[in-house]
Coordinates of all heavy atoms in Angstrom, one line a residue:
M1 N 0.8 -1.2 0.0 CA 0.0 0.0 0.0 C 0.8 1.2 0.0 O 1.8 1.4 0.8 CB -0.9 0.0 1.2 CG -2.4 0.2 0.9 SD -3.4 0.0 2.3 CE -3.3 1.7 3.0
K2 N 0.6 2.1 -0.9 CA 1.3 3.4 -0.9 C 0.8 4.3 0.2 O -0.4 4.4 0.4 CB 1.1 4.1 -2.3 CG 2.1 3.6 -3.3 CD 1.9 4.5 -4.6 CE 1.9 3.6 -5.8 NZ 1.5 4.3 -7.0
A3 N 1.7 5.0 0.8 CA 1.4 6.0 1.8 C 1.1 7.3 1.0 O 2.0 7.9 0.6 CB 2.5 6.2 2.8
R4 N -0.2 7.6 1.0 CA -0.6 8.8 0.4 C -0.8 9.9 1.4 O -1.3 9.6 2.5 CB -1.9 8.6 -0.5 CG -1.6 7.9 -1.7 CD -2.8 8.1 -2.7 NE -3.0 9.4 -3.1 CZ -4.1 10.1 -3.2 NH1 -5.2 9.5 -2.8 NH2 -4.2 11.3 -3.5
H5 N -0.6 11.1 1.0 CA -0.8 12.2 1.9 C -2.2 12.5 1.9 O -2.9 12.7 0.9 CB 0.0 13.4 1.4 CG -0.3 14.6 2.2 ND1 0.2 14.8 3.5 CD2 -1.0 15.8 2.0 CE1 -0.2 15.9 4.0 NE2 -0.9 16.6 3.0
V6 N -2.8 12.4 3.1 CA -4.2 12.8 3.3 C -4.3 14.2 3.9 O -3.7 14.4 5.0 CB -4.9 11.8 4.3 CG1 -6.3 12.2 4.5 CG2 -4.8 10.4 3.7
P7 N -4.9 15.1 3.3 CA -5.0 16.4 3.9 C -5.8 16.4 5.1 O -7.0 15.9 5.1 CB -5.7 17.3 2.7 CG -6.2 16.3 1.8 CD -5.6 15.0 2.0
M8 N -5.3 17.0 6.2 CA -6.0 17.0 7.4 C -6.4 18.4 7.7 O -5.8 19.4 7.4 CB -5.1 16.5 8.6 CG -4.5 15.1 8.4 SD -5.8 13.8 8.5 CE -5.8 13.6 10.3
R9 N -7.7 18.5 8.3 CA -8.1 19.8 8.8 C -8.6 19.7 10.2 O -9.0 18.6 10.7 CB -9.3 20.3 7.9 CG -8.9 20.6 6.5 CD -7.9 21.8 6.4 NE -7.6 22.1 5.0 CZ -6.6 21.6 4.3 NH1 -5.8 20.7 4.9 NH2 -6.3 22.0 3.1
T10 N -8.6 20.8 10.9 CA -9.1 20.8 12.3 C -10.5 21.3 12.4 O -10.9 22.3 11.8 CB -8.1 21.8 13.1 OG1 -6.8 21.3 12.9 CG2 -8.5 21.7 14.6
C11 N -11.3 20.5 13.1 CA -12.7 20.9 13.4 C -12.7 22.2 14.3 O -12.0 22.2 15.3 CB -13.4 19.8 14.1 SG -15.1 20.2 14.7
V12 N -13.4 23.2 13.9 CA -13.4 24.4 14.6 C -14.0 24.3 16.0 O -13.9 25.1 16.9 CB -14.1 25.6 13.9 CG1 -13.3 25.9 12.6 CG2 -15.5 25.4 13.6
V13 N -14.9 23.3 16.2 CA -15.6 23.2 17.4 C -14.9 22.3 18.4 O -14.6 22.8 19.5 CB -17.0 22.5 17.2 CG1 -17.8 22.4 18.5 CG2 -17.9 23.5 16.2
C14 N -14.5 21.1 18.0 CA -13.8 20.2 19.0 C -12.3 20.2 18.8 O -11.6 19.5 19.7 CB -14.4 18.8 19.0 SG -14.1 17.9 17.5
R15 N -11.8 20.8 17.8 CA -10.3 20.9 17.5 C -9.7 19.5 17.1 O -8.5 19.4 17.2 CB -9.6 21.5 18.7 CG -10.1 22.7 19.4 CD -10.4 23.9 18.4 NE -9.1 24.4 17.8 CZ -9.1 25.3 16.9 NH1 -10.2 25.8 16.4 NH2 -7.9 25.7 16.4
D16 N -10.5 18.6 16.8 CA -10.0 17.3 16.4 C -9.5 17.4 15.0 O -10.1 18.1 14.1 CB -11.2 16.2 16.4 CG -11.2 15.4 17.6 OD1 -10.4 15.7 18.6 OD2 -11.9 14.4 17.7
K17 N -8.4 16.7 14.6 CA -7.9 16.7 13.3 C -8.5 15.5 12.6 O -8.4 14.4 13.1 CB -6.4 16.6 13.3 CG -5.7 18.0 13.6 CD -4.3 18.1 12.9 CE -3.8 19.5 12.9 NZ -2.8 19.8 13.9
K18 N -9.0 15.8 11.4 CA -9.6 14.7 10.6 C -9.3 14.9 9.1 O -9.0 16.0 8.7 CB -11.2 14.8 10.7 CG -11.7 14.8 12.1 CD -12.3 13.4 12.5 CE -12.5 13.4 14.0 NZ -13.9 13.4 14.3
P19 N -9.4 13.7 8.4 CA -9.2 13.9 6.9 C -10.2 14.9 6.4 O -11.4 14.9 6.8 CB -9.4 12.5 6.4 CG -9.1 11.6 7.5 CD -9.6 12.4 8.8
K20 N -9.7 15.8 5.5 CA -10.6 16.8 5.0 C -11.9 16.3 4.4 O -12.9 17.0 4.6 CB -9.8 17.5 3.8 CG -10.2 18.8 3.4 CD -9.2 19.3 2.4 CE -9.9 20.4 1.5 NZ -8.9 20.7 0.3
Q21 N -11.9 15.1 3.8 CA -13.1 14.6 3.1 C -14.2 14.3 4.1 O -15.4 14.2 3.8 CB -12.8 13.4 2.3 CG -11.9 13.5 1.2 CD -10.4 13.3 1.6 OE1 -9.9 13.7 2.6 NE2 -9.8 12.4 0.8
E22 N -13.8 14.0 5.4 CA -14.8 13.7 6.4 C -15.4 14.9 7.1 O -16.3 14.7 7.9 CB -14.1 12.8 7.5 CG -13.7 11.5 6.9 CD -13.0 10.6 8.0 OE1 -13.1 10.9 9.2 OE2 -12.3 9.7 7.6
L23 N -14.9 16.1 6.7 CA -15.4 17.3 7.4 C -16.3 18.1 6.5 O -16.3 18.0 5.3 CB -14.2 18.1 7.8 CG -13.2 17.5 8.7 CD1 -11.9 18.3 8.8 CD2 -13.8 17.4 10.1
L24 N -17.2 18.8 7.1 CA -18.1 19.7 6.5 C -17.4 21.1 6.4 O -16.9 21.6 7.4 CB -19.4 19.8 7.2 CG -20.4 20.8 6.6 CD1 -21.0 20.1 5.4 CD2 -21.5 21.1 7.6
R25 N -17.3 21.7 5.2 CA -16.6 23.0 5.1 C -17.7 24.1 5.1 O -18.7 24.0 4.4 CB -15.8 23.0 3.8 CG -15.0 24.3 3.6 CD -14.1 24.2 2.5 NE -13.2 25.4 2.4 CZ -13.3 26.4 1.5 NH1 -14.1 26.3 0.5 NH2 -12.5 27.5 1.6
V26 N -17.4 25.0 5.9 CA -18.3 26.2 5.9 C -17.4 27.4 5.4 O -16.2 27.5 5.9 CB -18.9 26.5 7.3 CG1 -19.8 27.7 7.3 CG2 -19.6 25.3 7.8
V27 N -18.0 28.2 4.6 CA -17.1 29.3 4.0 C -17.8 30.6 4.1 O -19.0 30.7 4.0 CB -16.7 28.9 2.5 CG1 -17.9 29.1 1.6 CG2 -15.6 29.7 2.1
R28 N -17.0 31.6 4.4 CA -17.5 33.0 4.3 C -17.0 33.6 3.0 O -15.8 33.6 2.8 CB -17.0 33.9 5.5 CG -17.4 35.3 5.4 CD -17.0 36.1 6.6 NE -15.6 36.1 6.9 CZ -14.7 36.9 6.2 NH1 -15.1 37.8 5.3 NH2 -13.4 36.9 6.6
T29 N -17.9 33.9 2.2 CA -17.5 34.4 0.9 C -16.9 35.8 1.0 O -17.2 36.5 2.0 CB -18.7 34.4 -0.1 OG1 -19.6 35.4 0.4 CG2 -19.4 33.1 -0.1
P30 N -16.3 36.3 -0.1 CA -15.8 37.7 -0.1 C -16.9 38.7 0.1 O -16.7 39.8 0.5 CB -15.2 37.8 -1.4 CG -14.7 36.4 -1.8 CD -15.8 35.6 -1.3
E31 N -18.2 38.3 -0.2 CA -19.3 39.1 -0.1 C -19.9 39.1 1.4 O -20.8 39.9 1.7 CB -20.5 38.7 -1.0 CG -20.2 38.9 -2.5 CD -19.3 37.9 -3.1 OE1 -19.3 36.8 -2.6 OE2 -18.5 38.2 -4.0
G32 N -19.2 38.3 2.2 CA -19.7 38.3 3.6 C -20.8 37.3 3.9 O -21.4 37.4 5.0
E33 N -21.1 36.4 2.9 CA -22.2 35.5 3.2 C -21.5 34.2 3.7 O -20.4 33.9 3.2 CB -23.0 35.2 1.9 CG -23.7 36.4 1.4 CD -24.3 36.3 0.0 OE1 -24.0 35.2 -0.6 OE2 -25.0 37.1 -0.5
V34 N -22.3 33.5 4.5 CA -21.8 32.2 5.0 C -22.6 31.1 4.5 O -23.8 31.1 4.5 CB -21.8 32.2 6.6 CG1 -21.3 30.9 7.1 CG2 -21.0 33.4 7.1
H35 N -21.9 30.1 3.8 CA -22.5 29.0 3.2 C -21.9 27.7 3.6 O -20.6 27.7 3.9 CB -22.4 29.1 1.7 CG -23.1 30.2 1.1 ND1 -24.5 30.4 1.1 CD2 -22.6 31.4 0.5 CE1 -24.8 31.5 0.6 NE2 -23.7 32.1 0.1
V36 N -22.6 26.7 3.6 CA -22.0 25.3 3.6 C -21.4 25.1 2.2 O -22.1 25.2 1.2 CB -23.1 24.2 4.0 CG1 -22.5 22.8 3.8 CG2 -23.6 24.4 5.4
D37 N -20.2 24.6 2.2 CA -19.5 24.5 0.9 C -19.5 23.0 0.5 O -18.6 22.3 0.9 CB -18.1 25.0 1.0 CG -17.3 24.9 -0.3 OD1 -17.9 24.5 -1.3 OD2 -16.0 25.1 -0.2
L38 N -20.5 22.6 -0.2 CA -20.6 21.2 -0.6 C -19.6 20.8 -1.7 O -19.2 19.6 -1.7 CB -22.0 20.9 -1.1 CG -23.1 21.3 -0.1 CD1 -24.5 21.0 -0.7 CD2 -22.9 20.4 1.1
S39 N -19.2 21.7 -2.5 CA -18.2 21.4 -3.6 C -16.8 21.4 -3.0 O -15.9 20.8 -3.6 CB -18.4 22.4 -4.7 OG -17.9 23.7 -4.3
G40 N -16.6 22.1 -1.9 CA -15.2 22.3 -1.4 C -14.4 23.3 -2.2 O -13.2 23.4 -2.0
R41 N -15.1 23.9 -3.1 CA -14.3 24.8 -4.0 C -14.7 26.3 -3.9 O -14.2 27.1 -4.6 CB -14.6 24.4 -5.5 CG -13.9 23.1 -5.8 CD -14.0 22.8 -7.3 NE -13.7 21.4 -7.5 CZ -14.7 20.5 -7.6 NH1 -15.9 20.8 -7.5 NH2 -14.3 19.2 -7.9
L42 N -15.6 26.6 -3.0 CA -16.0 28.0 -2.9 C -14.8 28.8 -2.3 O -14.0 28.3 -1.4 CB -17.1 28.2 -1.9 CG -18.5 27.7 -2.4 CD1 -19.5 27.9 -1.3 CD2 -18.9 28.5 -3.6
S43 N -14.6 30.0 -2.8 CA -13.5 30.8 -2.3 C -14.0 31.6 -1.1 O -15.2 31.9 -1.0 CB -13.0 31.8 -3.4 OG -14.0 32.7 -3.8
G44 N -13.0 31.9 -0.3 CA -13.4 32.6 0.9 C -12.7 32.0 2.1 O -11.9 31.1 1.9
R45 N -13.1 32.5 3.3 CA -12.4 32.0 4.5 C -13.2 30.8 5.0 O -14.4 30.9 5.2 CB -12.4 33.1 5.6 CG -11.6 32.6 6.8 CD -11.5 33.7 7.8 NE -10.8 33.2 8.9 CZ -9.5 33.2 9.0 NH1 -8.7 33.7 8.0 NH2 -8.8 32.7 10.0
G46 N -12.6 29.7 5.1 CA -13.3 28.4 5.4 C -13.0 28.0 6.8 O -12.0 28.2 7.5
G47 N -14.0 27.2 7.4 CA -13.8 26.5 8.6 C -14.5 25.1 8.5 O -15.3 24.9 7.6
Y48 N -14.0 24.2 9.3 CA -14.4 22.8 9.2 C -15.1 22.3 10.5 O -14.7 22.6 11.5 CB -13.2 21.9 8.9 CG -12.6 22.2 7.5 CD1 -11.7 23.2 7.3 CD2 -13.0 21.5 6.4 CE1 -11.2 23.4 6.1 CE2 -12.5 21.7 5.1 CZ -11.6 22.8 5.0 OH -11.0 23.0 3.8
I49 N -16.1 21.5 10.2 CA -16.9 20.9 11.3 C -17.0 19.4 11.1 O -17.2 18.9 10.0 CB -18.3 21.5 11.3 CG1 -18.2 23.0 11.9 CG2 -19.3 20.7 12.1 CD1 -19.5 23.6 12.1
C50 N -16.7 18.6 12.1 CA -16.5 17.2 11.9 C -17.8 16.4 12.1 O -17.9 15.2 11.7 CB -15.4 16.7 12.8 SG -15.9 16.6 14.6
S51 N -18.8 17.0 12.8 CA -20.0 16.2 13.1 C -21.2 17.1 13.1 O -21.2 18.2 13.5 CB -19.8 15.6 14.5 OG -21.1 15.2 15.0
S52 N -22.3 16.6 12.6 CA -23.6 17.3 12.6 C -24.0 17.6 14.0 O -24.9 18.4 14.2 CB -24.6 16.7 11.7 OG -24.8 15.3 12.2
D53 N -23.5 16.8 14.9 CA -23.9 17.0 16.3 C -23.5 18.3 16.8 O -24.0 19.0 17.7 CB -23.2 15.9 17.2 CG -23.8 14.6 17.0 OD1 -24.9 14.5 16.4 OD2 -23.2 13.6 17.5
H54 N -22.4 18.9 16.2 CA -21.9 20.2 16.6 C -22.9 21.3 16.4 O -22.8 22.3 17.1 CB -20.7 20.5 15.9 CG -19.5 19.7 16.3 ND1 -19.4 19.1 17.5 CD2 -18.2 19.5 15.7 CE1 -18.2 18.5 17.6 NE2 -17.5 18.7 16.5
W55 N -23.8 21.1 15.5 CA -24.8 22.2 15.3 C -25.6 22.5 16.5 O -26.2 23.6 16.7 CB -25.7 21.9 14.1 CG -25.0 21.9 12.8 CD1 -24.8 20.7 12.0 CD2 -24.3 22.9 12.1 NE1 -24.1 21.1 10.8 CE2 -23.8 22.4 10.9 CE3 -24.0 24.2 12.4 CZ2 -23.0 23.1 10.0 CZ3 -23.3 25.0 11.5 CH2 -22.8 24.5 10.4
G56 N -25.8 21.5 17.3 CA -26.5 21.7 18.5 C -25.6 22.0 19.7 O -26.2 22.3 20.9
D57 N -24.4 22.2 19.5 CA -23.5 22.6 20.6 C -23.7 24.1 20.8 O -23.7 24.9 19.9 CB -22.0 22.3 20.1 CG -21.0 22.5 21.2 OD1 -20.9 23.6 21.8 OD2 -20.2 21.6 21.4
G58 N -23.7 24.4 22.1 CA -24.0 25.9 22.5 C -22.8 26.8 22.0 O -23.0 28.0 21.9
Q59 N -21.6 26.2 21.8 CA -20.5 27.0 21.4 C -20.2 27.1 19.9 O -19.3 27.8 19.5 CB -19.3 26.4 22.1 CG -19.3 26.5 23.6 CD -18.0 26.2 24.2 OE1 -17.5 25.0 24.1 NE2 -17.3 27.1 24.8
V60 N -21.1 26.4 19.1 CA -20.7 26.4 17.7 C -20.8 27.8 17.1 O -20.0 28.1 16.2 CB -21.7 25.4 16.9 CG1 -23.1 25.9 16.9 CG2 -21.2 25.1 15.6
R61 N -21.7 28.6 17.5 CA -21.9 29.9 16.9 C -20.7 30.8 17.2 O -20.1 31.4 16.2 CB -23.1 30.6 17.5 CG -23.6 31.9 16.9 CD -25.0 32.2 17.2 NE -25.2 32.6 18.6 CZ -25.1 33.9 19.0 NH1 -24.9 34.8 18.1 NH2 -25.2 34.2 20.3
A62 N -20.2 30.7 18.4 CA -19.0 31.6 18.7 C -17.8 31.0 18.0 O -16.9 31.7 17.5 CB -18.8 31.6 20.2
K63 N -17.6 29.7 18.0 CA -16.4 29.1 17.5 C -16.3 29.1 16.0 O -15.2 29.4 15.4 CB -16.3 27.6 18.0 CG -16.0 27.5 19.4 CD -15.8 26.1 19.9 CE -15.2 26.0 21.3 NZ -15.1 24.7 21.8
L64 N -17.4 28.9 15.4 CA -17.4 29.0 13.9 C -17.3 30.5 13.5 O -16.6 30.8 12.6 CB -18.7 28.4 13.4 CG -18.9 28.3 11.8 CD1 -17.7 27.4 11.3 CD2 -20.2 27.8 11.4
G65 N -18.0 31.3 14.2 CA -17.9 32.7 13.9 C -16.5 33.2 14.1 O -15.9 34.0 13.2
H66 N -15.8 32.8 15.1 CA -14.4 33.1 15.3 C -13.5 32.6 14.2 O -12.6 33.4 13.7 CB -13.9 32.6 16.6 CG -12.5 32.9 17.0 ND1 -12.1 34.1 17.5 CD2 -11.4 32.1 16.9 CE1 -10.8 34.1 17.6 NE2 -10.3 32.9 17.3
A67 N -13.7 31.4 13.8 CA -12.9 30.8 12.7 C -13.1 31.6 11.4 O -12.2 31.7 10.6 CB -13.3 29.4 12.5
L68 N -14.4 32.0 11.2 CA -14.7 32.7 9.8 C -14.5 34.2 10.0 O -14.7 34.9 9.0 CB -16.1 32.3 9.4 CG -16.4 30.8 9.2 CD1 -17.8 30.6 8.8 CD2 -15.4 30.2 8.2
K69 N -14.2 34.6 11.2 CA -14.1 36.1 11.5 C -15.4 36.8 11.0 O -15.3 37.8 10.2 CB -12.9 36.7 10.8 CG -11.6 36.0 11.3 CD -10.4 37.0 11.0 CE -9.1 36.3 11.2 NZ -8.9 35.9 12.6
V70 N -16.5 36.3 11.4 CA -17.8 36.9 11.1 C -18.7 36.7 12.3 O -18.6 35.8 13.0 CB -18.4 36.2 9.8 CG1 -18.7 34.8 10.0 CG2 -19.5 37.1 9.3
E71 N -19.7 37.6 12.4 CA -20.6 37.5 13.5 C -21.8 36.6 13.0 O -22.4 37.0 12.0 CB -21.2 39.0 13.8 CG -21.9 39.1 15.1 CD -21.0 39.0 16.4 OE1 -19.8 39.4 16.3 OE2 -21.4 38.5 17.4
L72 N -22.0 35.5 13.7 CA -23.1 34.7 13.2 C -24.3 34.8 14.2 O -24.1 34.8 15.4 CB -22.6 33.2 13.2 CG -21.6 32.8 12.2 CD1 -21.0 31.4 12.4 CD2 -22.2 32.9 10.8
A73 N -25.4 34.8 13.6 CA -26.7 34.7 14.4 C -27.1 33.3 14.5 O -26.7 32.4 13.8 CB -27.8 35.6 13.7
Q74 N -28.0 33.1 15.5 CA -28.5 31.7 15.7 C -29.3 31.2 14.4 O -29.2 30.1 14.0 CB -29.4 31.6 16.9 CG -29.8 30.2 17.3 CD -28.6 29.3 17.5 OE1 -27.6 29.7 18.1 NE2 -28.7 28.0 17.1
E75 N -29.9 32.2 13.7 CA -30.6 31.8 12.5 C -29.6 31.3 11.4 O -29.9 30.5 10.6 CB -31.3 33.1 11.8 CG -32.4 33.6 12.8 CD -31.9 34.7 13.8 OE1 -31.6 35.8 13.3 OE2 -31.6 34.3 14.9
D76 N -28.4 31.9 11.4 CA -27.4 31.4 10.5 C -27.0 29.9 10.8 O -26.8 29.2 9.9 CB -26.1 32.2 10.6 CG -26.3 33.7 10.1 OD1 -27.0 33.9 9.1 OD2 -25.8 34.6 10.8
I77 N -26.9 29.7 12.1 CA -26.5 28.3 12.5 C -27.6 27.3 12.0 O -27.4 26.2 11.5 CB -26.3 28.2 14.0 CG1 -25.1 29.1 14.4 CG2 -26.1 26.8 14.5 CD1 -23.9 28.8 13.8
V78 N -28.9 27.7 12.2 CA -30.0 26.9 11.8 C -30.0 26.7 10.3 O -30.1 25.6 9.8 CB -31.4 27.6 12.3 CG1 -32.5 26.8 11.7 CG2 -31.4 27.6 13.8
R79 N -29.8 27.8 9.5 CA -29.7 27.7 8.1 C -28.6 26.8 7.7 O -28.8 25.9 6.7 CB -29.6 29.1 7.5 CG -29.5 29.2 6.0 CD -29.5 30.6 5.5 NE -28.3 31.4 6.1 CZ -27.1 31.4 5.6 NH1 -26.8 30.6 4.6 NH2 -26.2 32.1 6.2
L80 N -27.4 26.9 8.2 CA -26.3 26.2 7.8 C -26.5 24.7 8.1 O -26.2 23.8 7.4 CB -25.0 26.6 8.5 CG -24.5 28.0 8.1 CD1 -23.4 28.5 9.0 CD2 -24.0 28.0 6.6
S81 N -27.0 24.4 9.4 CA -27.3 23.0 9.7 C -28.3 22.4 8.8 O -28.1 21.2 8.5 CB -27.7 22.9 11.2 OG -29.0 23.4 11.4
E82 N -29.3 23.2 8.4 CA -30.3 22.6 7.5 C -29.7 22.2 6.1 O -29.9 21.2 5.5 CB -31.5 23.5 7.3 CG -32.4 23.4 8.6 CD -33.5 24.5 8.6 OE1 -33.5 25.3 7.7 OE2 -34.3 24.4 9.5
S83 N -28.9 23.2 5.5 CA -28.3 22.9 4.3 C -27.3 21.8 4.4 O -27.1 21.0 3.5 CB -27.7 24.1 3.6 OG -26.9 24.9 4.5
A84 N -26.6 21.7 5.5 CA -25.7 20.6 5.7 C -26.4 19.2 5.8 O -26.0 18.2 5.3 CB -24.8 20.8 6.9
G85 N -27.5 19.3 6.5 CA -28.3 18.1 6.8 C -28.8 17.4 5.5 O -29.0 16.2 5.4
K86 N -29.1 18.2 4.5 CA -29.6 17.7 3.2 C -28.6 16.7 2.5 O -28.9 15.9 1.7 CB -29.9 18.8 2.3 CG -31.2 19.5 2.7 CD -31.5 20.7 1.7 CE -32.5 21.6 2.3 NZ -32.2 23.0 2.0
T87 N -27.4 16.9 2.9 CA -26.3 16.1 2.2 C -26.1 14.7 2.9 O -25.3 13.9 2.4 CB -24.9 16.8 2.2 OG1 -24.5 16.9 3.5 CG2 -25.1 18.2 1.6
Q88 N -26.7 14.6 4.1 CA -26.4 13.4 4.9 C -27.6 12.5 4.8 O -28.8 12.9 4.7 CB -26.1 13.8 6.3 CG -24.6 14.3 6.4 CD -24.5 15.2 7.6 OE1 -25.3 15.3 8.4 NE2 -23.3 15.8 7.8
N89 N -27.3 11.2 4.9 CA -28.5 10.3 4.8 C -28.8 9.6 6.1 O -28.3 9.9 7.2 CB -28.2 9.2 3.7 CG -26.8 8.8 3.8 OD1 -26.1 8.7 4.8 ND2 -26.2 8.4 2.6
Ligands
ZN101 ZN1 -15.7 18.4 15.8

């Protein structure tokens, strides 16, 4: 087996390092909008979340907002968790 380099990213909520593919990317676009980045190709400042459980974490708003350097409202968290949820089965 070849040892391939797996890109690792840190979850902004629990600080665990995981392979990038296992994480959900959230991005703040240059326009200041925050989206779940399903393609992994949106430009902007990104943050990673390792588990959909984190959306219910009381600290997710502050931690994600800090990572993205944006002020997030609870409505933003709800919206993001809903668009993230659609991708999971
Ligand atoms: Zn996590």
